[in-house]
Amino acid sequence: MDLLEYQGKQLFARHGIPVPSGKPAGTVEEAVAAADEIGYPCAVKAQVQIGGRGKLGGIKIANNQAEARQHAEAILGMDIRGLTVFEVWIEGASQIASEYYASVVFDRGAKAPLVMLSTKGGMDIEAVADEDPDAIARLHVDPLLGFQDFHGRRLAYEAGVDADVVRPIGAMLKKLYNAFIAEEATLVEVNPLIITPEREVKALDAKVTLDNNALFRHPENAELRDRSAEDPQERMAKERGLTYVKLDGNIGILGNGAGLVMSTLDVVKGAGGEPANFLDAGGGSKADAITSAVEVILSDSKVTAVLFNIFGGITRCDEVARGLIEAFSQLNPSVPFVVRLDGTNDVEGRRILAEANLPNVYTEATMDGAAARVVELAKAA
Amino acid sequence: MSILIDKNTRLVTTGITGSEGKFHTLRNRDYGTNVVAGVTPGKGGQDVDGIPVFNTIREAVDKQGANTAMIFVPPPFAADSILEAEEAGIELIIAITEGIPAHDELRAFQVIKKNGRSRLVGPNCPGILSPDKANVGIIPAGFFKPGNVGVVSRSGTLTYQVGNELAQSGFGNSTIVGIGGDPVPGTDFIDVLGLFQDDPETELIVMCGEIGGDAEERAADFIAAHVTKPVVGYIAGFTAPPGKQMGHAGAIVSGSKGTAAAKAEALEAKGVRVGRTPTEVARIAMEILGH
C-alpha cells in the first residue's frame, strides 16, 4: 500500500522524524482554516501519488489568506495525469540551504534492507543513479543486527554531506530505518531531505509503501485511504479479497495465480484479443470467491466475453465449477463464458459444469484453444 | 535421480490439522511421499488418517526422523513455524503459505542463511514434485511423469501450465520446483539451476519467470557462467501494464525496469531461448532435445 505524502509525514512524525508542521484538508474552507493556523507563507500541496506534481501545478505557495483560498480552489478537484485531487496538505513553507536524498528499501535481490543517501536530492534519483551512481552512498543492513550509529556516520561521510550535519543526518537515517522496520514498510523515501539555513534536518517529502501482508498487525495503517487512486471495480474487488487490475479491453479474465493470469493475458492478446482486466482469484478459491469475482468482472460494462483459465493446485476445480453455477443463478450474465479447467479435481469440476448445462458457457481443453475461442466470441458480440 | 526430494524424504507437515494442510498432506501421501508426522500445537497425540501428530517439530524429528518440513500454517504464524523447523534441524523446509509479512520472511531467511543447516523453498510456492518419487506441496502430480526435463518457476499455476504443455509433447520431469513469488524467496533460480546442472538425470532445464525484481537477470548471468545444459525460458507478463511502482528506490535496486521484455532480452543475450507462450516453450524443448 502506497501512502500519500501527508500520511507518510504523519507516520514519520510518530517516529520522531522531523517534518514541517501541516494539516490535511478536503475542502477549500478547511484548507483556508489550516493555512491561517499554520501561518504564511505556506505550501498548498496536492495529495496524489504521482511524481512531478509541482511542475503540473499541484504545489503552490500562499503568502496570505486570499492566495491560500485561490490555490486550494485551483488544486482541489484538479486532474493530475488522470488522478483526481481529493485532498491537499497545507504546510509551513521551508527555507532550504541544501537538498539531500535518503531512502530505506526492501532489496529483494540482496534479501536485506538497503539504506541510501545522496547529496543530490530534490531531483529525479533514477537519473542520478544512471548518470552519477557514485553520488549515492549505499549500505545493506543485517536485519538481525539492526541499524547502528556507525552505519549512519559511514553513509553520511561516504555521501559527502556537510560536516556539521553528519550526526543529525546519521540520526535521521536511524529513525527512518527504525520506522521502516516498525511499520513493516517496503519503501521509505525522503526526497528532498533538507537542511535549513538554521542547519536543521527535515523531511520535506515522504514516500512510504507498506507491506499489505503485515497490515493486520497495524490496524491504524490499514485504515488509511487514497481516494484518488481507487477505481470502483478495484475497490469492489479489494473488499472481496481478490486481486483485480482494470485494463482497457473487452475480454474479462479470471484465473488462479498471478503468473498464470499474466500468461493468460499474454496469450489472449497474442490471439488478437484485448483483456478487460487482470483478476487473480487466488490460491484455494472457494465457490463464493468465484461468484464474487464474476460479479466484479461483469461490473465493467465493456466486457463482452469472459475467460476462466484455471489450473488447480490448491484451488479445486469442483469449487470453481460450483462458484460459476452460483454466479449464473445470482447474476444471470448475458455475455458468453469460455471455461478451461485443469488440475486438482478437474474431472469432477468438468462433470458438474456439464450437468449444469449453463447457457452460453463453452468449455475448452487447452489454454490456447480457450483464448482463441473467447477472442472469437468477443468479436462476434 | 532428482533434486531436493525423493524416496529418502521423510516429511512432517506443520498445520496438518487445518483443512488445506490435511487435504494436501494426504494427497502427497497417496502419491507415495513418505509422510512421517504432522505438527499442530495442542493436538499432540492425535493422528490424521494414521499420521501421528506432535506438539512440536522437535518431537517429529526425534521420534519420527523427519528431514523435510512442509509449512501449511496461516500467514501470521508461518515464519515462526519456519524458524521452529530450522531450529529442529530440518534439512529442507518447503513453505506453501501465501501472504507471510515480508519482514517476517526477511528475518527467517537471514537466520537460515546465518546458521547454514537448512534450505528454505518458498514461501508462497506450490512445492516440489519428483515424479514417481515424492510430491511435497500442492502440485497436481497426475499431470507429470518421470523424465529428463527440470522445471523451476516463480509461479505455481504457471508451473502446472508449462509442465502440462511439456507433458503433452511427451516430456517427463526430473523434478519440478516452485520457488514462489514472494519478495524474499528462500531459494532462488540460481540455486535450483545449480542443482539441475549437477543432476545427471536432468538434460534440459525450463525456467519460468515473471515481471518484477531482477531474479531472471541474475539467473541469466549465472547460466552463462555455470550452466552447460540447455535452458529454455518463459516470462509471464509481456502485456501486463506497469504495476504499482515500488518507487524510485526500487528501480535503482533492481538495476532493471523489471519488465518481461527486459528479462527476456537478458536471457536471450546469454543464449537462452525464451518461449513467448507456454506452448512455444514445449516446442523449443522439442527442437533442442530432438523429440
Side-chain angles (χ1 to χ4, degrees):
Chain A
M1 181 170 74
D2 296 323
L3 300 191
L4 290 165
E5 173 199 358
Y6 84 87
Q7 294 165 340
K9 282 182 172 165
Q10 290 176 338
L11 181 148
F12 281 2
R14 291 208 299 274
H15 290 276
I17 296 159
V19 290
S21 58
K23 285 192 98 166
T27 66
V28 172
E29 292 313 317
E30 279 174 22
V32 171
D36 281 347
E37 188 186 322
I38 285 154
Y40 299 96
C42 63
V44 181
K45 304 176 84 175
Q47 296 301 293
V48 284
Q49 290 163 18
I50 206 148
R53 11 171 218 165
K55 282 177 210 143
L56 298 164
I59 300 176
K60 302 267 192 209
I61 299 295
N63 290 299
N64 52 52
Q65 194 191 62
E67 284 182 16
R69 180 174 297 278
Q70 185 192 337
H71 296 329
E73 279 171 352
I75 295 173
L76 278 166
M78 81 183 283
D79 178 288
I80 300 181
R81 291 206 182 119
L83 299 179
T84 306
V85 180
F86 289 103
E87 291 174 287
V88 289
W89 171 246
I90 314 290
E91 74 178 16
S94 296
Q95 300 294 313
I96 300 173
S98 310
E99 293 186 291
Y100 294 166
Y101 168 94
S103 65
V104 186
V105 59
F106 200 99
D107 183 348
R108 299 165 62 136
K111 293 166 177 161
L114 172 64
V115 185
M116 291 189 271
L117 178 68
S118 175
T119 57
K120 298 204 165 180
M123 57 181 105
D124 180 0
I125 197 68
E126 281 182 72
V128 175
D130 281 346
E131 289 154 22
D132 190 6
D134 293 341
I136 303 172
R138 300 155 200 247
L139 178 78
H140 285 106
V141 177
D142 177 349
L144 304 179
L145 174 66
F147 193 95
Q148 304 299 309
D149 290 339
F150 78 85
H151 289 139
R153 293 195 299 275
R154 180 177 144 186
L155 281 160
Y157 282 119
E158 282 182 12
V161 307
D162 293 341
D164 65 321
V165 290
V166 164
R167 279 171 196 279
I169 293 272
M172 170 83 128
L173 292 175
K174 185 171 186 175
K175 285 176 181 164
L176 285 172
Y177 179 87
N178 290 338
F180 173 86
I181 295 293
E183 302 287 345
E184 301 193 68
T186 53
L187 171 70
V188 166
E189 186 176 53
V190 183
N191 190 20
L193 183 167
I194 60 161
I195 315 296
T196 67
E198 295 77 37
R199 310 308 287 167
E200 284 174 313
V201 178
K202 270 192 213 175
L204 200 56
D205 196 6
K207 189 167 200 166
V208 176
T209 304
L210 300 174
D211 177 13
N212 290 337
N213 286 342
L215 287 177
F216 72 93
R217 285 196 285 237
H218 305 276
E220 72 290 2
N221 291 340
E223 284 167 15
L224 298 173
R225 285 281 172 276
D226 173 13
R227 284 168 63 206
S228 66
E230 284 181 359
D231 169 88
Q233 263 108 28
E234 290 184 6
R235 187 169 53 224
M236 187 171 160
K238 200 170 163 190
E239 283 163 4
R240 287 154 200 220
L242 305 163
T243 311
Y244 174 92
V245 180
K246 193 171 177 176
L247 305 171
D248 294 331
N250 60 339
I251 298 175
I253 308 273
L254 179 147
N256 60 321
L260 182 63
V261 182
M262 279 191 276
S263 177
T264 308
L265 298 180
D266 293 348
V267 171
V268 165
K269 202 138 178 169
E274 289 295 333
N277 65 274
F278 167 103
L279 194 154
D280 175 8
S285 307
K286 294 285 190 268
D288 56 346
I290 298 296
T291 309
S292 295
V294 171
E295 197 177 349
V296 170
I297 290 171
L298 295 179
S299 68
D300 177 355
S301 60
K302 282 199 290 186
V303 169
T304 58
V306 177
L307 171 60
F308 264 47
N309 187 22
I310 302 290
F311 210 123
I314 200 161
T315 300
R316 304 182 201 171
C317 292
D318 55 322
E319 286 282 346
V320 174
R322 285 192 194 95
L324 186 60
I325 291 165
E326 181 59 30
F328 266 70
S329 77
Q330 284 181 22
L331 306 167
N332 194 24
S334 58
V335 301
F337 278 62
V338 176
V339 180
R340 181 271 181 136
L341 295 177
D342 257 326
T344 307
N345 295 2
D346 53 353
V347 175
E348 174 76 355
R350 286 196 288 260
R351 187 188 60 76
I352 291 170
L353 215 49
E355 282 175 5
N357 198 21
L358 300 174
N360 234 353
V361 171
Y362 306 87
T363 51
E364 284 287 341
T366 67
M367 176 160 149
D368 290 358
R373 186 69 171 269
V374 79
V375 169
E376 188 185 304
L377 289 166
K379 279 184 179 154
Chain B
M1 267 181 67
S2 52
I3 63 169
L4 298 167
I5 61 167
D6 54 29
K7 287 288 177 196
N8 297 317
T9 295
R10 296 178 64 80
L11 184 68
V12 53
T13 299
T14 73
I16 193 170
T17 54
S19 66
E20 298 297 333
K22 180 179 172 183
F23 178 81
H24 290 285
T25 301
L26 295 180
R27 272 170 64 102
N28 288 170
R29 187 178 65 175
D30 288 346
Y31 188 76
T33 309
N34 187 11
V35 181
V36 299
V39 169
T40 298
K43 298 196 175 170
Q46 300 181 10
D47 73 287
V48 170
D49 203 37
I51 301 167
V53 177
F54 298 93
N55 288 319
T56 65
I57 300 176
R58 169 68 64 189
E59 282 178 277
V61 171
D62 288 348
K63 295 183 179 149
Q64 295 292 108
N67 59 14
T68 301
M70 172 160 71
I71 309 295
F72 242 116
V73 301
F77 321 109
D80 184 58
S81 191
I82 292 169
L83 290 170
E84 185 187 353
E86 194 276 343
E87 200 267 345
I90 295 278
E91 294 158 31
L92 176 62
I93 305 165
I94 301 169
I96 310 298
T97 308
E98 176 178 3
I100 302 178
H103 284 257
D104 283 4
E105 290 182 7
L106 192 63
R107 277 187 294 273
F109 176 86
Q110 292 291 345
V111 169
I112 286 169
K113 185 176 141 193
K114 195 153 278 179
N115 294 342
R117 57 191 173 193
S118 304
R119 171 186 293 285
L120 173 65
V121 175
N124 188 16
C125 82
I128 307 175
L129 169 67
S130 293
D132 279 5
K133 291 176 186 141
N135 184 19
V136 177
I138 63 177
I139 297 177
F143 288 87
F144 309 102
K145 61 183 198 305
N148 57 1
V149 178
V151 177
V152 56
S153 172
R154 270 169 74 182
S155 155
T157 49
L158 185 59
T159 315
Y160 319 153
Q161 179 66 42
V162 171
N164 190 39
E165 298 286 354
L166 290 166
Q168 310 245 309
S169 300
F171 291 106
N173 302 106
S174 49
T175 299
I176 295 170
V177 185
I179 57 173
D182 271 7
V184 192
T187 292
D188 261 322
F189 280 130
I190 53 177
D191 303 315
V192 181
L193 288 166
L195 294 171
F196 279 136
Q197 171 67 23
D198 295 338
D199 172 39
E201 193 190 352
T202 302
E203 291 175 26
L204 179 133
I205 305 164
V206 171
M207 179 187 129
C208 304
E210 60 190 43
I211 55 170
D214 67 345
E216 293 79 3
E217 287 85 340
R218 285 182 289 120
D221 291 339
F222 180 84
I223 290 166
H226 302 288
V227 180
T228 57
K229 294 177 181 177
V231 180
V232 182
Y234 176 74
I235 309 290
F238 274 92
T239 60
K244 296 230 167 187
Q245 296 264 337
M246 258 184 77
H248 300 296
I252 297 172
V253 172
S254 69
S256 141
K257 302 291 178 218
T259 63
K263 290 172 187 299
E265 214 169 278
L267 286 163
E268 282 166 348
K270 306 289 182 184
V272 176
R273 293 178 66 185
V274 179
R276 286 304 189 267
T277 64
T279 323
E280 198 185 342
V281 170
R283 196 174 53 68
I284 296 172
M286 283 176 79
E287 276 177 38
I288 294 173
L289 289 183
H291 273 246

